[in-house]
Amino acid sequence: MKVENYSYETFPRYTKEIEGALELKGNKENLRCRMLDVEYQQGCMIRFLFPNTILDETKKYPLVIHIQGSGWYQQDMNDHIFDFMPIVKTGYAYAIIQYHGAPEYKYPTQISDVEKAIAFLKDHYQNYPIDFNNIFLSGDSSGGHIALLIALQKKYEFKGIIDLYGVTNFMTFNDWYSKYDWKEERNAIDFLGSLDNQLLIEVSPITYLKENMNLPPFLILHGDKDHVVPITQSIELYEKLKEYHYDVTFGRVHDADHGRSIFYNEDVYQTIINFLDSKKR
């Protein structure tokens, strides 16, 4: 029997008894997560993760623009799909930004690519379930480094910044334990082209942190057994933000390495969700 003018609310529910059947509850508040890939420039895409519900397909969600870590090399765009799904299911959209990777593309290409992606989102947000009045910027590892560079140079306005174990100061990177000495690794030279001190200062986000900048709130999370980016990188940024009286929250994730399963757990998810909930308009 065809139903005219279908809507979820008016569609008839089958209520007759079914002998031997399990009776399971549906959850009208539950959100699924769906993915959509959009090319914002040739060779680079935005991977959207959207909440999805049958009840209100016109709803607009706050957006977290996330820059994924990769050592500044070509990114694995599947790396964080499942990590961020618990946050998406609480009512936030994610836009994971792909950029051209080192060594073929060097600084500042990666920053320029992210800025192009942000401009694309600004110009086309009406086409997606995005509330552009509530935009957050996030990044992990090298993506956290890029996010901080963009945030601290104040080219865009965000409701909040989420830095997940990002590089903050190349000049102090070797001050704590790491598996790597950046002076001996290919990452920095492949990304920057040289290890000139002036260039290292230029690409260190903490260089741009000053007093009275009218910055958005910051959430910084870092594992205390991170073998790649020393936790002291995040502590240095946290303490400088506190010194200048900015709104900043720092979370040390006990026993967590550089991301991975120990890091992405319920405590971390709830901390991020609480931050987003408290800062959105």
Side-chain angles (χ1 to χ4, degrees):
M1 292 179 287
K2 183 177 180 180
V3 176
E4 301 289 344
N5 301 318
Y6 163 78
S7 75
Y8 171 80
E9 293 296 345
T10 62
F11 193 86
R13 176 173 172 261
Y14 189 91
T15 58
K16 294 180 180 179
E17 184 178 349
I18 307 170
E19 184 177 351
L22 298 174
E23 299 293 340
L24 310 176
K25 291 183 178 180
N27 181 1
K28 291 184 179 182
E29 303 302 318
N30 185 48
L31 295 176
R32 295 178 65 239
C33 179
R34 66 182 179 92
M35 187 177 74
L36 175 68
D37 291 342
V38 176
E39 189 174 66
Y40 72 91
Q41 66 169 333
Q42 186 172 2
C44 290
M45 69 175 176
I46 298 172
R47 173 154 286 173
F48 287 108
L49 302 178
F50 290 126
N52 186 235
T53 175
I54 194 172
L55 295 182
D56 186 1
E57 295 182 346
T58 65
K59 186 174 176 61
K60 303 291 187 179
Y61 298 97
L63 177 69
V64 180
I65 299 172
H66 184 79
I67 309 166
Q68 189 169 274
S70 62
W72 302 286
Y73 293 112
Q74 183 177 357
Q75 299 143 296
D76 174 4
M77 293 300 288
N78 294 319
D79 194 38
H80 280 310
I81 293 173
F82 298 109
D83 290 331
F84 296 141
M85 194 178 299
I87 303 170
V88 174
K89 283 172 63 65
T90 66
Y92 290 92
Y94 264 73
I96 303 174
I97 307 301
Q98 183 181 36
Y99 53 72
H100 291 99
E104 183 178 359
Y105 297 93
K106 291 181 169 52
Y107 170 84
T109 300
Q110 292 78 8
I111 287 80
S112 175
D113 283 349
V114 173
E115 291 176 340
K116 289 175 184 176
I118 294 172
F120 176 91
L121 290 167
K122 185 176 182 179
D123 290 342
H124 298 90
Y125 73 91
Q126 301 96 333
N127 299 330
Y128 309 103
I130 294 171
D131 174 8
F132 213 76
N133 292 316
N134 283 295
I135 304 295
F136 296 82
L137 183 64
S138 170
D140 67 286
S141 192
S142 58
H145 164 259
I146 294 172
L148 289 171
L149 275 179
I150 291 172
L152 291 172
Q153 292 185 62
K154 290 291 293 173
K155 295 182 180 179
Y156 305 93
E157 297 296 327
F158 301 100
K159 292 296 182 185
I161 308 298
I162 302 172
D163 169 31
L164 307 176
Y165 45 91
V167 177
T168 66
N169 188 353
F170 282 97
M171 306 306 292
T172 60
F173 188 95
N174 288 344
D175 287 358
W176 188 250
Y177 298 108
S178 171
K179 183 180 178 180
Y180 304 103
D181 179 339
W182 65 263
K183 295 179 182 178
E184 299 173 356
E185 297 298 321
R186 291 301 307 173
N187 292 58
I189 191 81
D190 284 347
F191 172 49
L192 299 173
S194 79
L195 298 181
D196 175 76
N197 274 357
Q198 274 305 116
L199 181 56
L200 291 170
I201 292 170
E202 177 184 333
V203 298
S204 294
I206 206 160
T207 299
Y208 302 94
L209 180 55
K210 312 294 182 187
E211 295 183 90
N212 304 316
M213 291 179 65
N214 191 31
L215 293 174
F218 282 73
L219 173 63
I220 305 170
L221 301 176
H222 209 127
D224 62 11
K225 288 178 69 70
D226 193 320
H227 80 286
V228 178
V229 177
I231 190 173
T232 50
Q233 288 283 290
S234 289
I235 294 170
E236 182 178 353
L237 176 63
Y238 169 60
E239 291 180 342
K240 184 62 70 172
L241 286 164
K242 279 205 310 179
E243 178 186 339
Y244 291 157
H245 306 291
Y246 292 115
D247 182 347
V248 57
T249 301
F250 179 73
R252 169 171 37 191
V253 186
H254 291 185
D255 298 314
D257 197 349
H258 195 64
R260 304 183 179 182
S261 58
I262 297 176
F263 183 91
Y264 288 100
N265 67 78
E266 186 58 36
D267 273 1
V268 166
Y269 292 138
Q270 197 56 58
T271 298
I272 293 173
I273 293 164
N274 289 345
F275 176 78
L276 295 171
D277 286 349
S278 67
K279 307 307 178 187
K280 70 180 179 182
R281 187 163 70 183

